[in-house]
Amino acid sequence: MAEDLVLDTAIRDWVLIPLSVVMVLIGILRYFVSKLMRSSNQVPDPKMVKEGQVIIRARNLRAAANYIPAKSFRARRVYFSNEENGLLYVPKGQAQNAQAQMFSDPNMAMDMMKKNLSMIIPQTLTFAWVNFFFSGFVAAKIPFPLTQRFRSMLQNGIDLSTVDVSYVSSRSWYFLNLFGLRGLFSLILGEENATDDTQRMMQMSGFGFDPTKSLGAEKDSLDIFQHEWALPKFEQRAEAVLKKLVVSVPTPVAETVKTEKVKTVEEASKEEKVAATPAPEVVTEEQKQVTKEEVAEEQVQVTEEEVVTEEQKQVTEEEVAPEVTEKQEEATEEEVAAPPAEKPAAPEAETKELAEEAVPEEAVAKDETKEPVEEKIEAEVPKEAAIEETKEEAPKFAEEEKPAAKE
Amino acid sequence: MVSKTEEEQVNRLESQVENGGGGEWEYLCLVRKLKLRRSYNVLKYGFSILNDPKKRSALGPEEWTLYEQVAVAAMDTQRLDMAKDYVKVLQEKFPESKRVGRLEALLLEAMGLWEEAEKAYSSLLEDNELDPVIHKRRVAMAKAQGNISGAIEWLNKYLEIFMADNDAWRELAEIYVSLQMYKQAAFCYEELILSQPTIPLYHLAYADVLYTLGGLENLHMAKKYYASTIDLTGGKHTRALFGICLSTSAIDQLTKGRNKDDKENSQLASLSATALGKDYKQRAPNKVSLLASTLKA
């Protein structure tokens, strides 16, 4: 029997809206009261902090263990789960202690009590008020049908058993608001407001065990873990990536670079080259003679002198080429040479520094094309130790800034 | 880590403010949020805001954060007189505050009075054992005085408590590298890789350190990490490509007599060489022959 009850609009004006408004106001009041009452002992316990950090580190170890070599993983595992002084090792006696200590510590207990009180009292009061004033009539209709089981919960003031369960009393409106206004509060009051009753209630149960239990859990999972070094796979993946990169842009035939590569690398690679660039192979033999001359020249001198002679040749050849574009190219090159994937501030500062160093050098000695070009080359051409030294100096420089700025 | 949109926003605001448009306050807020180090700009604009009493009162309670920010910027640009003034203002307003105490110690540090600053920091630490900022300031002080081993010691102590602080690990790694203590540096980089395995920067640095350590096994590992860097950056990372070529040639030199598994090695090396060649061609065509000669050696 689904007869449609017509509900007085006065109900809406005088029950639903005021109830919501009152609950919002009480929530705000609670928030400010809790802020005032929050004691200033915000000093975190050193042990807790350390344990928290250890847990994070152990979790990271487990998550990414496949990226570090097996030896280091094993060393770290021993460090964590060693019997005597491993970080995660928790003797059984201590586990019990933590909880007992938690409750006997007067400060903690007071804090908990205060928080509880500020939750429970307004709730109780509001509930009683609703029951007293707003009971005995139908307040709202729920838009979807419900089973008979909900009758006792939602219709407690209404003593007619024939009324559809969708018609509820104001008590249910109260509960609805209680749980639903959380979202509104986080909008008004910003995050971290004290109205998350349900969350707090859930947290109560798992209180004192947390640190010691999770340490034990981490230790166990770390013991179980099997280390599989993922790096060899990476080599193959890198090959695949490079292959795609090389093949995708088919470069024209007559390139001394490619043909020189063909020459320098051994037999197996030649097959690769065949697959990648079929054309140049035909031309290699012709080119070989040309390059042989260059090779003969270069092999005589030391590589650095090579650089000079090469550059001299190039410079004499291309006097017309404007230096501005060179500068730009080098600047962009250096910028990209720094890790492009992530963009922390440091490498950008580093590359800007390097680029800036390169630019004024050029601006100064514009007439003499040789020297600044040489300097740039020596700054750029990554010979074995040069990369590490220059790039280490620069990031060290930039990193010194970082901890100072970390205030 | 600064996200790209925020970066653009900062740059836009910076250019806007420099050209005389409004928006100084937003710029300062953004700089503060992202912890950027634009001390000169911050000082200039903050100074202009703070000296204008109308604008200052318009800020309301944010005024004091601005004081703090500008004080730090003044210390950074060595305008110690201004810094002292601002710190004094803050002291009058918040007499017992730890935050202001920190600023005072920072001022002492900026003035170069290391012992007083050290004393100030120690007393602050007594109140609050676990303030990471103070620990880091101590490390920075040791480093600034040139006392690198002291810096290492403090940093190690800090890391014993706060193990999950990536930037601290990074700092330690770079200090070790500067002191050529490569094994320890390798350890630090491993920590970094563990916590953030998808950042190619750490793989690259680890590979560099391994390569520098030398030895056949390390060279093999270095090559693998260069390869992982290439993988993580889609094959465009010049330095990693060079790293592969170099480590391959170093391995070849070491294993001259015995030909182990040459097959896949040479593929990787030649591929990376080709990729390098293409890269140079695109961006610096005059260097191409230079590259060729280098790679041959």
Side-chain angles (χ1 to χ4, degrees), chain A residues 1 15 40-41 47 53 62 187 249 277 300 334 358 368:
Chain A
M1 307 203 236
V15 174
S40 66
N41 56 344
K47 251 186 137 202
Q53 299 267 326
R62 230 180 343 125
L187 265 183
V249 180
T277 57
V300 172
E334 288 181 49
E368 306 169 334

Side-chain angles (χ1 to χ4, degrees), chain B residues 228-259:
Chain B
S228 74
T229 315
I230 291 184
D231 185 38
L232 286 170
T233 58
K236 294 215 186 348
H237 200 188
T238 320
R239 215 170 132 183
L241 292 170
F242 268 114
I244 293 233
C245 301
L246 286 172
S247 43
T248 319
S249 69
I251 292 180
D252 285 339
Q253 274 188 354
L254 280 184
T255 66
K256 235 183 226 162
R258 354 169 208 154
N259 40 353

Side-chain angles (χ1 to χ4, degrees), chain A residues 242-254:
Chain A
L242 282 179
K243 249 186 253 189
K244 252 191 286 177
L245 207 61
V246 166
V247 173
S248 63
V249 180
T251 45
V253 170

Side-chain angles (χ1 to χ4, degrees), chain B residues 8-70:
Chain B
E8 289 168 18
Q9 210 178 355
V10 169
N11 288 337
R12 186 177 51 85
L13 275 173
E14 196 168 349
S15 56
Q16 178 187 352
V17 171
E18 269 174 32
N19 296 335
E24 282 126 12
W25 176 239
E26 287 136 26
Y27 176 63
L28 290 170
C29 285
L30 205 54
V31 166
R32 188 165 4 120
K33 188 173 99 167
L34 302 174
K35 295 201 184 161
L36 297 173
R37 197 180 179 177
R38 312 279 170 101
S39 306
Y40 183 63
N41 283 341
V42 166
L43 187 60
K44 205 162 61 167
Y45 305 128
F47 184 63
S48 67
I49 292 185
L50 287 176
N51 274 354
D52 185 1
K54 251 192 314 186
K55 281 195 214 163
R56 194 164 40 162
S57 49
L59 294 176
E62 301 278 321
E63 181 186 348
W64 309 109
T65 12
L66 185 62
Y67 265 115
E68 191 186 10
Q69 190 181 6
V70 177

Side-chain angles (χ1 to χ4, degrees), chain A residues 154-173:
Chain A
L154 299 173
Q155 281 192 345
N156 78 320
I158 308 166
D159 295 326
L160 301 171
S161 57
T162 52
V163 174
D164 218 347
V165 192
S166 305
Y167 293 97
V168 298
S169 70
S170 31
R171 194 192 277 191
S172 60
W173 179 244

Side-chain angles (χ1 to χ4, degrees), chain B residues 5 16-17 31 52 81 83 111 117 126 133 143 172 189 201 203 218 254 256 258 270 290:
Chain B
T5 45
Q16 178 187 352
V17 171
V31 166
D52 185 1
D81 45 351
M111 292 201 284
E126 272 171 24
V133 178
K143 205 167 170 199
L172 189 60
Y189 278 123
L201 173 64
H203 287 258
N218 284 335
L254 280 184
K256 235 183 226 162
R258 354 169 208 154
S270 63
L290 186 60

